[in-house]
Amino acid sequence: MRILFLAHSFYPESTGVSRVAGSIASAAARDGHIVTVGTGGSDRETETDLNGVRVERFSCGGNLVQGLTGNIAEYREFVRSHSADIVVLHCAQTWTTDALLEVWDQLAKPIVLVSHGLSAFKSEAYRDYFRLLAEKLKGNGRVVGLSERLEEVVFCHDFGLSAPEIIPNGVDYLEWSSPTTGIRDQWGIGDKPWIISPSNHSTVKNHSRFWHVLSSLAESTPLVQGSIVGRPYGAARFHAGRVGVKGGCWYGCKLRSIFSDRVLLHDRATRKEVVSAVKEADVLAVTSSREAAPLVLLESMAAGVPWVSFRVGSVEDNAGGIVVDTELEMVHAMQSLLKDRKAARALGEAGRKQILQRHDWRTIAKAHIELYRDCIYRYGFKNKTDR
């Protein structure tokens, strides 16, 4: 097959969407399919061989409700003229999908929407948008959801679409079987109790909660150390990121770190260091106010490290951790895990067991590719290069 993936975020960005789209695209290329990715970047850039994947970058942004920006016409023409047998959209409510709604009927290809949750689904401002998206999908599209708990199920039901295909996220278990690198000593943690939050400085990650929790936890566990392992990103408003202005909560976290060393910021960690940090931590925390299916939980499970998370997205689908509703509950859960190491190890093993059973990227990528093939035949687009 010739597969065109469209995702607003892709390598080298380290976001959940980037890593999911990249994992599936790379797996498809390894299986011999011809894979192209359209994504964000500077003015029209092309990378001809990124893990066997051709990457085309466009300087675009926004969404249909808030407004599309950049060279949308060039992006539309790229998709419209591409020889793909199938188009795979990662995320709604973003330019890579929304820019195509106006020219959808000209694409003449089956389309799969991997939505990663629909964060604005309950917003009245987006009601007409979702109605339009559903109308377009009825002709030649399928929806992939990450969990039965997410908005895709209600979206498809409310607008008369077929139920979404549920395919969860995954991890590369070999990556999480690698030896640790001694990052505790390299980062000055030593043998202190260590709580880690691997997350970029987006406001939805709610890092202020992480600071509050660590401060409260220190009252009973004075030596506890917290780490936020994630990068700042360029501010989107007024394109300020182009001149070095950081977005999200970066400046707030940086200011707090000047007056307290309870939480350390690691904004330049390599992927190898991130993996080792998760594996060497005592507990992984998710303090987000909004998530769909956070990859960091699956990675914590693959590492055999217990997690504590607020009740967001599909976290309740996962073994290996504790789901909480308040900061106080999170503090108590962390206290329990740091005190009872046997219980912590049992949770870690339960998480690892689920990863082995349900979340291997090779199996998940195969499910995606089989869905693509089914869509090509279902919607009558015979594939002359089917393999």
Side-chain angles (χ1 to χ4, degrees):
M1 285 183 286
R2 297 177 183 270
I3 309 171
L4 175 59
F5 292 92
L6 301 172
H8 67 278
S9 176
F10 199 72
Y11 180 87
E13 288 188 307
S14 182
T15 66
V17 172
S18 169
R19 284 157 59 199
V20 171
S23 296
I24 300 170
S26 297
R30 285 194 298 271
D31 284 349
H33 301 287
I34 300 171
V35 179
T36 305
V37 172
T39 188
S42 302
D43 294 334
R44 195 66 187 271
E45 297 176 332
T46 302
E47 299 164 51
T48 56
D49 187 15
L50 189 63
N51 291 327
V53 175
R54 180 183 177 88
V55 180
E56 300 266 1
R57 299 186 185 273
F58 299 84
S59 183
C60 299
N63 66 29
L64 196 61
V65 175
Q66 297 177 347
L68 297 166
T69 63
N71 198 344
I72 296 298
E74 183 181 30
Y75 169 71
R76 285 173 174 159
E77 182 56 30
F78 159 74
V79 179
R80 188 164 42 196
S81 62
H82 199 278
S83 61
D85 300 307
I86 189 163
V87 175
V88 182
L89 305 171
H90 280 272
C91 292
Q93 309 159 203
T94 189
W95 65 271
T96 41
T97 294
D98 295 3
L100 301 178
L101 294 178
E102 184 178 307
V103 297
W104 192 283
D105 298 336
Q106 302 171 29
L107 300 182
K109 299 174 178 67
I111 295 175
V112 172
L113 171 64
V114 185
S115 59
H116 298 263
L118 301 171
S119 60
F121 183 67
K122 295 181 180 180
S123 169
E124 189 61 33
Y126 281 79
R127 195 63 179 172
D128 289 341
Y129 164 80
F130 284 113
R131 184 175 292 109
L132 173 62
L133 178 62
E135 286 301 316
K136 298 300 182 182
L137 286 164
K138 283 178 182 177
N140 60 340
R142 290 287 300 278
V143 177
V144 173
L146 302 173
S147 167
E148 294 282 0
R149 298 178 187 273
L150 299 178
E151 299 89 352
E152 292 87 351
V153 174
V154 180
F155 166 69
C156 290
H157 176 270
D158 285 0
F159 291 107
L161 297 171
S162 298
E165 188 82 13
I166 303 299
I167 306 177
N169 280 335
V171 295
D172 179 358
Y173 192 71
L174 289 178
E175 180 181 41
W176 294 92
S177 301
S178 60
T180 58
T181 64
I183 206 73
R184 272 181 171 269
D185 291 335
Q186 295 172 39
W187 287 357
I189 308 299
D191 59 0
K192 296 177 184 177
W194 192 20
I195 314 293
I196 187 172
S197 172
S199 51
N200 293 329
H201 289 268
S202 166
T203 53
V204 299
K205 302 302 181 182
N206 222 329
H207 286 162
S208 61
R209 276 178 157 182
F210 188 72
W211 285 88
H212 294 161
V213 166
L214 264 292
S215 178
S216 298
L217 184 59
E219 295 177 10
S220 62
T221 313
L223 295 180
V224 69
Q225 181 70 66
S227 285
I228 298 174
V229 186
R231 301 184 182 227
Y233 57 91
R237 182 170 294 184
F238 309 121
H239 300 287
R242 295 180 179 179
V243 293
V245 178
K246 304 292 193 300
C249 62
W250 169 251
Y251 292 114
C253 286
K254 190 67 175 176
L255 182 62
R256 281 177 164 169
S257 71
I258 293 174
F259 297 99
S260 171
D261 60 0
R262 179 64 61 194
V263 176
L264 303 176
L265 306 182
H266 309 277
D267 62 318
R268 298 184 180 181
T270 65
R271 178 62 182 168
K272 187 175 182 180
E273 288 173 331
V274 173
V275 170
S276 193
V278 172
K279 294 178 69 173
E280 295 181 44
D282 293 299
V283 179
L284 181 140
V286 174
T287 56
S288 302
S289 57
R290 160 74 198 179
E291 291 281 358
L295 279 176
V296 291
L297 280 197
L298 299 184
E299 293 174 344
S300 180
M301 292 157 64
V305 172
W307 51 266
V308 181
S309 173
F310 288 114
R311 197 181 305 275
V312 291
S314 62
V315 297
E316 292 169 274
D317 289 346
N318 299 312
I322 302 172
V323 180
V324 299
D325 294 303
T326 67
E327 291 181 10
L328 182 59
E329 289 180 6
M330 181 168 278
V331 171
H332 289 163
M334 290 177 176
Q335 287 173 336
S336 175
L337 292 173
L338 292 175
K339 182 178 180 180
D340 189 344
R341 301 309 299 160
K342 183 177 180 180
R345 285 193 296 272
L347 276 178
E349 286 303 315
R352 185 183 281 120
K353 181 178 179 180
Q354 179 178 319
I355 292 295
L356 291 171
Q357 291 175 340
R358 295 179 47 199
H359 299 284
D360 178 71
W361 264 130
R362 292 169 297 181
T363 302
I364 290 169
K366 182 178 179 181
H368 277 269
I369 292 167
E370 286 302 313
L371 176 63
Y372 306 161
R373 185 175 286 111
D374 177 68
C375 286
I376 289 169
Y377 283 94
R378 175 176 298 204
Y379 295 110
F381 297 96
K382 295 296 183 181
N383 183 2
K384 60 182 178 295
T385 59
D386 191 25
R387 39 185 312 165

